[in-house]
Amino acid sequence: MTATSTRIKHEVKDLSLAPLGRQRIEWAGREMPVLKQIRDRFAQEKPFAGIRLVACCHVTTETAHLAIALKAGGADALLIASNPLSTQDDVAACLVADHEIPVFAIKGEDNETYHRHVQTALDHRPNVIIDDGSDVVATLIQERQEQIADLIGTTEETTTGIVRLKAMFKDGVLTFPAMNVNDADTKHFFDNRYGTGQSTLDGIIRATNILLAGKTIVVAGYGWCGKGTALRARGLGGNIIVTEIDPIRAIEAVMDGFRVMPMAEAAPQGDIFITVTGNKHVIRAEHFEVMKDGAIVCNSGHFDIEIDLKSLGATAKEVKEVRNFTQQYQLPNGKSVVVLGEGRLINLAAAEGHPSAVMDMSFANQALACEYLVKNKGKLEPGLHSIPVEVDANIAKLKLQAMGINIDSLTPEQTEYINSWASGT
Ligand code: ADE
């Protein structure tokens, strides 16, 4: 509902959900000590004083901690959803009611509302954009060229968004700096692998309540998200098939102990299919046609394009909601295909996204990337920039400290050895 009743503009489902959101945000905070330290420092130093900031993220308990940290740092921050199905309505309500952060996000919003919220975000005339999939940046470039002058830079945390930003740079339209949060080691090693791995299976289980042990599970894509998904699916007793288009990743999957084959061969064998490729129509008509009766299909890639639902819908005789986030498509060949979460990110549609402990590091990167952009305003070249290695290493150190884990350090003799080339065998 659009309202100005709490002094700030917002569009959330129901402000009375705020107490539940508050409780859940507090719970997530237990697992986010690194971001907490950054927030405490931001509150002292106010690095974002005078900065208008837009965050286009999944509106979760973890994102709430990021938004609160940015606001503590002085940012005039506005939050929109990065996916129509990923918003946690209680969290959105709490951010508005308790923290006076304008949020425009409702779980289940239609595509038109989603795009309207992207426009609302740009109406804020951001100096910094935290993007998740690059929709805000793409819209800025396509429709609001005149606002680029206001922008210090953007940050991007998804593999999909980074691929898009690279294409923008190649086309000469990325005329401002973009921080590549996704490629920080403290991001993709943990968030993409363990976060996607666990939360994808969590989403499938919450949506279907099926036993995974003994099932043939086809994982399409063996990037970091695919690796984590295959690893965790095997851990639950699944018999895993990986499909890939990249020969190196395919060898990696084979040597990690998985069967590798084209989707056309996997389609008749799988009980459950999970797409995590970042590309479109990885599962399409020719595959649906040969699937087992009742095969379950879902996606954990950023956009809802990996499964060709249009063609499935066009052939289906009937589509029935059989459980929450679970739709059964009845095919003319007498078999059915079950689609979870409308082909959108299953881990956020049917579950709660990546657990807080990994988002702690991802959002520490986001927060520090924003600070880096602002501190280096006017000094960074247009295009993608890595998170500085010392920032990445420091996030890892803080995380280890918070986990109570000590590690070794080099002795003087080892330091000398590692820095010299003179002595070999
Ligand atoms: N992306 C994946 N999981 C997430 C979470 N829990 N919060 C925000 N963004 C996410």
Side-chain angles (χ1 to χ4, degrees), residues 266-326:
Q269 300 186 46
D271 299 302
I272 301 167
F273 295 79
I274 308 167
T275 54
V276 258
T277 69
N279 215 325
K280 92 188 264 199
H281 297 177
V282 177
I283 300 183
R284 46 188 182 268
E286 73 218 52
H287 303 128
F288 296 128
E289 180 64 29
V290 295
M291 280 180 186
K292 289 183 192 170
D293 184 26
I296 294 171
V297 176
C298 66
N299 168 53
S300 215
H302 187 76
F303 288 123
D304 59 341
I305 36 108
E306 306 212 11
I307 304 168
D308 184 1
L309 284 182
K310 257 204 189 126
S311 79
L312 183 63
T315 23
K317 290 201 306 197
E318 191 193 13
V319 184
K320 208 164 62 182
E321 182 95 10
V322 286
R323 281 171 66 94
N324 282 345
F325 309 113
T326 306

Side-chain angles (χ1 to χ4, degrees), residues 44 65 97 128 289 326 329 349 393 415:
Q44 297 290 319
H65 283 281
V128 174
E289 180 64 29
T326 306
Y329 287 68
T415 305

Side-chain angles (χ1 to χ4, degrees), residues 57-64 82 86 88 132 157-158 187 191 195-196 199 302 345 347-348 352-356 358-359 363:
C57 290
H58 303 296
V59 180
T60 64
T61 52
E62 293 75 28
T63 298
S82 59
S86 63
Q88 298 171 4
D132 194 359
E157 69 166 18
T158 65
K187 199 277 180 182
D191 170 314
T196 307
S199 62
H302 187 76
L345 285 159
N347 61 337
L348 282 139
E352 294 170 66
H354 302 353
S356 316
V358 289
M359 294 314 294
F363 284 163

